[in-house]
Amino acid sequence: MLKKETGTLYGVSVGTGDPELITVKGQRLLQETSVIAFPLGVKGKPGLAETIIDPWIRPQQKKLPLHFPYLQDEQQLQQAWKAAAATVWDYLDQGLDVAFACEGDVSFYSTFTYLAQTLRKNYPSVTIQTIPGVSSPMSAASVLGIPLTLGSQNLAIIPALYHRDELDQVLSWADVIVLLKVSSVYSQVWEKLEQLNLLDHAFIVERANQPEEKIYRNLSDHPHLNLSYFSVMIIRQK
Ligand SMILES: C[S@@+](CC[C@H](N)C(=O)[O-])C[C@H]1O[C@@H](n2cnc3c(N)ncnc32)[C@H](O)[C@@H]1O
């Protein structure tokens, strides 16, 4: 008897908020694939990826929320990725394709990578394809109406600041700096920018391309901000 072929897992980048920022290919896969996976939201609310894809999904498609806890504990994280990988593999092994909706771009600091790594380790015959998309630094520049970089400018992207010195170090060589996850360190960053007279060169975009989108330009007026996790800062030194 011929063994049934396993399905393909598609990592679909769904952009930063506006459902129209999904690529044509990503949208087609989201509409054609029978199982649609996405990170489970927190506190019973739908997650961002789930909200973004809502207009493109039909009721007949199976929705598969996967739990990825916001934790530092490596062991607990590994367990969550293992459980998510097993859930996805159940469908792939039945020959069904699964599309995983990933906020922003799938290759850019994304949970999808951990899911894919775990599947490859535990189920080596798995087939995975990724569909690129719009990520937050590009969305923020577009919302601000500025080029992110020009000519020979160097760009630094900092996924999260853990030490004050990291910003000094980056400021010594990069012309343009993008800080992700800036909400938790905003006050410290603000103080550093004030010392360096850079407050007028920094911008924040909160929830880019979403109904709640906000822009902060004159940061001298904003020493304290209660920002959403989905906030990005762009510093342009020149
Ligand atoms: C784990 S990273 C994920 C990045 C995502 N894969 C991407 O392509 O942009 C999460 C960080 O991305 C940034 N981010 C993601 N979406 C955003 C949005 N719509 N507006 C502003 N910042 C966003 C925030 O800095 C957030 O803390």
Side-chain angles (χ1 to χ4, degrees), residues 16 103-105 108-110 134-137 179-181 205-208 210 229-232:
T16 43
E103 192 272 333
D105 179 85
F108 189 69
Y109 303 112
S110 160
V134 175
S135 70
S136 48
L179 298 182
L180 303 178
K181 298 191 184 161
V205 180
E206 189 177 17
R207 290 194 163 271
Q210 297 166 30
Y229 168 79
F230 291 102
S231 301
V232 80

Side-chain angles (χ1 to χ4, degrees), residues 73-90:
D73 184 275
E74 189 63 23
Q75 217 180 343
Q76 279 177 282
L77 285 172
Q78 300 266 2
Q79 268 170 16
W81 300 330
K82 211 171 151 186
T87 306
V88 169
W89 180 252
D90 269 354

